[in-house]
Amino acid sequence: MTNLVIVESPSKSKTIEKYLGSDYKVVASMGHIRDLATTGKFGLGVDVEHDFEPTYIPMKGKKKVITELKKLSKDADNVYLATDPDREGEAISWHLKEALDLKKNYERVTFNEITKDVIKEAFKNPRDIDNNLVKSQETRRILDRIIGFRLSKLMQSKTGGKSAGRVQSVALKLIVDREREIAAFIPEEYWSITAVFSQFNADLEKYKNKKIEIHNEDEANRIISSLSDKYDIENVECKEKNKNGVMPFKTSTLQQTAVNKLGFSSSKTMRVAQKLYEGIDIGSETVGLITYMRTDSERLSPQFINEAFDYIKKTYGEKYVGVVKKPKKTENTQDAHEGIRVTSCYRTPEELKKYLTPDEFKLYSLIYARSLACLMSNAKVKATAITLLNNDYEFKATGSILIFDGYLKVYSKYESNEDIILPDLEGITYLISEDVTKEQHFTKPAPRYTESSLIKELEKLGIGRPSTYATIMETIKKRDYVTIEDKKFVPTKIGIETTDKLQEGFSDIINVEYTANMENELDEIADNKLDNVKVLKDFYNQFEPLVEDAFKNMEKNKPEETGENCPECGHPLVVRNGRYGEFVACSNYPECKYIKKEEKVIVEICNCPNCDGKIVEKKSRKGKIFYGCNNYPKCKTAYWYKPIDKLCPECNSMLLEKGKKIVCSNCEYEEE
């Protein structure tokens, strides 16, 4: 063996090894191998007095991996570091070089898709490790460590909150601010008036050519009483308009669309996309089906564009071939990357369905449709607007007819397109209404954030990066800072308290503008336009005095009293937050260490499929609800999702409730 290739995941290594042949051994680092130590000042693993010099140690469970990789690298003539094509991947390659003590016999290889031709071409064009990208990632990690360690400890001591973070806390602030906007919102009444005709309806919009507002029912009644049933046709306007096509997917838009159209969480979307990227066995070969899925670029390679144009022409006809849309250039886009697309137009979802899980098929179908749609021609609609006059009141009806489907030929499933057809009124000068209706409305506040809308807002504000969105969503949920109601984020009491305390002491740092500016500075470090040590010093010199002041002077939140007294010392019992959730204890702690035992309510769910016991609702040591047999430990049957008293028709195993779906506990069977 003369060539060693190190990638991040085992599934990727198997795929790539098949492409490169017997002269190459491809192994996996299993992601990051080193991280900052927890030694030194405040356990930061960073020497703040000496230019923030970091100390790295092997991550938990990675010593054996490093030892094995070091042995393999010593036996190899050439070592190729082929980790992911982003800053995180660049940093992993650098850590591998350092940990394995690689000197001259290593090179960096990157690729955007895992297909045979692309992999072989990538190994013909290796390069050096980009130290600017590494410095940028290292700076981000140090900033996150300083903020995370210092603020998390502060919040734990002052609020009972479990953690704080550079981006996480700003995302939570957006949710809390929106909740307060909703609570403070005062609805205003308004009314609408609609004229009903035999073939369509028209809404009142203007009076004497000025926009009209109807504030109460009396005003609505006065207007209706002044109308006759005859409406003069003032104008009929017909225009042919383009319905513009879509851009290629990037991480944020893929996550938003998968949330809205597939019901996937952002973390699930990235999990499934990772598998599609790393390689699927499709019978004759193992191949990556999509390009790299952590990207903020919407650029497409010329090779794919040419293939797609050819496929669209052959499959749908010349008129469906579109043009390459120019992405909007934003400051933070890493344009060396591509957008997210399929690796071949000729691998259709239907052909691959038998090789994919249901979730993989759904996500691949979405990405496939978008990959073609973004290069197809615009759709065309015939837009019609009818203006009617009645006693100086102007009513309007609008409609459209799809006259050419264009990109909707492949993407209509993911985009609403309801035709509203208005009648041909040529030669007609007036219409007689069948009825006039009125309806009361109230203005509404901005809605709570969903995963989709929060990701969109974070991207718009320049906060976070493609690799961080899913992690942010999961973190604020796991920390119990939010609950999910009707797919929307609702801040919890501890989430609001944590946000308020952070704003009390750190409003100049935990805010949208500062966080977005920090992202720009990290980009400038990556472009070799800014010194990373200066960025860290400027931040730390502002941040650390605020933390020290907060530890001394920030008032600790008083725990909520339950109205009961401690049976051991008579002091009030209070609600406290622990590692596994809320519990009730004595307010006289640490003098009195009384903790009220939780009364266990046994909720029977159904019969156990494996013994004569019952499946009951239980709580894990970490406070998470699960469902297990009451004959434990004799019977160890257990499920994370709630079972139903019904067996799978395919394998006879227990069926479980998973969101709005019923899934099998054993096989891939599912039903709505």
Side-chain angles (χ1 to χ4, degrees):
M1 188 269 295
T2 56
N3 298 297
L4 178 69
V5 181
I6 306 176
V7 296
E8 290 176 47
S9 75
S11 56
K12 194 192 296 186
S13 67
K14 292 174 187 174
T15 308
I16 293 171
E17 192 166 85
K18 288 179 183 178
Y19 297 153
L20 294 176
S22 58
D23 289 341
Y24 291 81
K25 182 175 180 62
V26 186
V27 294
S29 70
M30 312 299 286
H32 274 282
I33 58 166
R34 302 197 309 178
D35 196 7
L36 292 171
T38 52
T39 55
K41 191 173 184 180
F42 308 126
L44 299 176
V46 176
D47 189 344
V48 295
E49 278 84 27
H50 295 88
D51 290 344
F52 294 84
E53 184 68 31
T55 299
Y56 290 107
I57 58 171
M59 295 175 71
K60 188 176 180 181
K62 290 299 178 77
K63 283 185 179 179
K64 186 178 178 183
V65 173
I66 293 171
T67 300
E68 290 173 355
L69 290 176
K70 190 176 276 190
K71 183 178 183 304
L72 289 170
S73 65
K74 283 184 178 178
D75 294 336
D77 294 327
N78 303 297
V79 178
Y80 295 96
L81 305 173
T83 51
D84 286 343
D86 55 15
R87 285 182 207 171
E88 211 68 27
E90 204 72 21
I92 293 173
S93 282
W94 179 80
H95 281 290
L96 285 165
K97 177 183 83 76
E98 294 293 307
L100 306 184
D101 196 26
L102 301 178
K103 300 299 183 186
K104 294 181 179 180
N105 65 327
Y106 72 91
E107 290 180 294
R108 174 85 167 107
V109 173
T110 59
F111 38 82
N112 195 50
E113 61 182 82
I114 302 176
T115 54
K116 191 170 186 177
D117 290 345
V118 169
I119 293 297
K120 289 202 164 187
E121 187 63 28
F123 276 81
K124 290 178 185 176
N125 298 284
R127 61 170 173 80
D128 291 332
I129 290 173
D130 188 328
N131 287 313
N132 293 322
L133 289 181
V134 174
K135 284 291 181 190
S136 176
Q137 189 277 341
E138 183 174 74
T139 306
R140 178 191 295 276
R141 184 71 193 98
I142 292 172
L143 286 168
D144 288 346
R145 168 60 68 86
I146 293 170
I147 294 172
F149 269 37
R150 298 295 280 145
L151 289 190
S152 293
K153 191 167 184 180
L154 177 69
M155 290 301 102
Q156 287 161 14
S157 68
K158 302 295 184 179
T159 71
K162 296 174 184 175
S163 73
R166 186 176 59 88
V167 178
Q168 161 201 325
S169 297
V170 177
L172 179 60
K173 182 179 183 298
L174 291 174
I175 294 169
V176 171
D177 287 349
R178 178 62 57 85
E179 193 69 18
R180 286 188 164 133
E181 286 173 27
I182 293 168
F185 185 81
I186 300 173
E188 293 183 6
E189 180 184 12
Y190 70 98
W191 288 72
S192 62
I193 293 175
T194 303
V196 180
F197 301 94
S198 60
Q199 292 179 278
F200 66 95
N201 297 340
D203 296 319
L204 175 60
E205 290 193 349
K206 295 180 180 179
Y207 177 65
K208 291 186 176 180
N209 212 31
K210 290 185 178 179
K211 186 174 175 62
I212 190 168
E213 292 181 359
I214 308 168
H215 301 100
N216 53 58
E217 188 172 15
D218 288 341
E219 288 181 22
N221 288 336
R222 281 197 299 272
I223 292 170
I224 291 172
S225 65
S226 71
L227 298 172
S228 68
D229 61 358
K230 181 183 176 184
Y231 291 73
D232 294 320
I233 299 174
E234 175 73 8
N235 188 41
V236 178
E237 186 179 15
C238 290
K239 280 186 180 178
E240 191 176 292
K241 292 183 177 180
N242 281 334
K243 183 176 173 62
N244 293 330
V246 289
M247 294 297 295
F249 275 137
K250 52 185 177 177
T251 302
S252 61
T253 52
L254 174 63
Q255 290 176 351
Q256 290 165 47
T257 309
V259 167
N260 294 332
K261 301 299 179 182
L262 306 181
F264 288 9
S265 68
S266 53
S267 57
K268 178 177 179 177
T269 299
M270 298 311 286
R271 237 181 3 255
V272 177
Q274 182 87 30
K275 179 64 177 153
L276 294 174
Y277 164 69
E278 289 183 348
I280 300 288
D281 187 347
I282 58 172
S284 60
E285 61 176 330
T286 302
V287 64
L289 298 181
I290 66 169
T291 53
Y292 191 56
M293 63 286 153
R294 294 184 181 90
T295 175
D296 50 15
S297 175
E298 294 171 314
R299 189 181 63 81
L300 296 176
S301 71
Q303 294 87 346
F304 178 76
I305 291 168
N306 291 335
E307 179 193 295
F309 281 161
D310 185 58
Y311 179 85
I312 293 164
K313 184 177 178 180
K314 288 177 181 175
T315 309
Y316 303 108
E318 180 77 45
K319 63 182 179 179
Y320 284 94
V321 177
V323 296
V324 179
K325 299 173 185 66
K326 288 186 178 180
K328 291 179 183 177
K329 181 67 177 172
T330 59
E331 285 184 33
N332 300 319
T333 302
Q334 298 172 42
D335 204 47
H337 295 171
E338 267 196 82
I340 303 167
R341 58 166 175 83
V342 295
T343 53
S344 173
C345 298
Y346 293 92
R347 284 191 279 268
T348 66
E350 288 304 322
E351 288 175 355
L352 297 181
K353 188 173 184 179
K354 60 186 174 183
Y355 304 113
L356 303 173
T357 66
D359 286 341
E360 288 167 356
F361 175 73
K362 288 175 187 174
L363 191 63
Y364 183 72
S365 298
L366 173 63
I367 296 170
Y368 182 89
R370 186 81 163 218
S371 301
L372 287 183
C374 69
L375 293 170
M376 293 175 76
S377 51
N378 293 331
K380 287 184 170 57
V381 295
K382 183 181 179 183
T384 306
I386 300 172
T387 306
L388 305 167
L389 281 181
N390 188 328
N391 194 20
D392 289 331
Y393 289 99
E394 185 178 304
F395 289 75
K396 196 164 188 178
T398 57
S400 64
I401 306 170
L402 184 67
I403 55 178
F404 174 61
D405 52 4
Y407 77 97
L408 293 171
K409 189 83 171 175
V410 298
Y411 204 69
S412 60
K413 179 179 176 182
Y414 306 107
E415 203 168 290
S416 57
N417 185 59
E418 295 181 7
D419 285 349
I420 302 170
I421 303 171
L422 297 178
D424 184 357
L425 300 177
E426 188 174 347
I428 300 172
T429 59
Y430 68 91
L431 295 170
I432 302 298
S433 66
E434 296 181 348
D435 193 11
V436 180
T437 62
K438 62 187 178 184
E439 187 175 355
Q440 183 186 37
H441 307 273
F442 291 93
T443 54
K444 294 181 180 179
R448 287 168 171 157
Y449 287 108
T450 61
E451 275 203 33
S452 173
S453 61
L454 184 57
I455 289 169
K456 186 175 183 178
E457 185 72 4
L458 290 172
E459 184 186 36
K460 186 180 98 174
L461 296 171
I463 296 169
R465 282 296 175 267
S467 60
T468 64
Y469 297 134
T471 305
I472 293 165
M473 302 300 119
E474 288 305 301
T475 300
I476 59 176
K477 286 188 275 188
K478 285 180 180 176
R479 298 291 186 258
D480 296 323
Y481 289 154
V482 296
T483 57
I484 307 296
E485 293 181 16
D486 192 27
K487 297 185 179 180
K488 297 180 178 70
F489 288 121
V490 181
T492 60
K493 179 185 173 186
I494 192 66
I496 294 170
E497 287 178 354
T498 300
T499 296
D500 288 347
K501 282 296 183 186
L502 287 172
Q503 290 307 298
E504 181 185 321
F506 303 91
S507 59
D508 288 343
I509 289 174
I510 305 299
N511 64 56
V512 166
E513 292 77 16
Y514 188 92
T515 308
N517 184 60
M518 184 62 71
E519 295 290 356
N520 290 332
E521 290 187 344
L522 291 170
D523 288 336
E524 289 187 7
I525 293 169
D527 293 336
N528 200 26
K529 295 177 181 176
L530 199 59
D531 178 59
N532 67 306
V533 174
K534 181 181 184 306
V535 170
L536 289 167
K537 281 182 178 177
D538 289 348
F539 163 76
Y540 191 78
N541 290 340
Q542 179 185 358
F543 175 74
E544 185 54 31
L546 296 175
V547 178
E548 291 176 2
D549 180 71
F551 269 112
K552 290 177 186 174
N553 301 317
M554 184 180 282
E555 190 175 333
K556 188 173 183 178
N557 282 352
K558 292 181 180 178
E560 177 188 351
E561 294 187 6
T562 66
E564 303 172 274
N565 290 328
C566 175
E568 294 185 4
C569 72
H571 283 79
L573 294 182
V574 294
V575 179
R576 297 191 183 278
N577 284 291
R579 287 180 64 191
Y580 307 130
E582 290 185 343
F583 64 97
V584 175
C586 183
S587 59
N588 194 29
Y589 179 85
E591 283 73 20
C592 177
K593 297 181 180 178
Y594 172 79
I595 296 175
K596 185 178 180 181
K597 289 185 178 178
E598 187 180 343
E599 294 179 11
K600 290 187 178 180
V601 178
I602 298 175
V603 180
E604 290 187 1
I605 306 300
C606 61
N607 294 322
C608 178
N610 298 318
C611 74
D612 60 356
K614 299 285 185 183
I615 299 294
V616 298
E617 187 177 294
K618 296 187 174 187
K619 191 177 281 189
S620 72
R621 286 181 60 201
K622 293 188 176 182
K624 188 173 180 180
I625 297 293
F626 72 101
Y627 306 90
C629 183
N630 62 358
N631 282 336
Y632 181 85
K634 288 183 180 179
C635 177
K636 293 184 171 66
T637 302
Y639 311 99
W640 283 116
Y641 298 106
K642 188 176 181 179
I644 62 173
D645 210 358
K646 185 180 174 184
L647 299 180
C648 175
E650 293 187 3
C651 71
N652 216 34
S653 298
M654 181 67 77
L655 290 178
L656 312 173
E657 287 183 11
K658 187 178 180 182
K660 292 183 178 179
K661 292 180 181 177
I662 304 298
V663 300
C664 179
S665 59
N666 182 51
C667 72
E668 293 180 354
Y669 173 82
E670 65 175 47
E671 60 186 63
E672 293 295 329

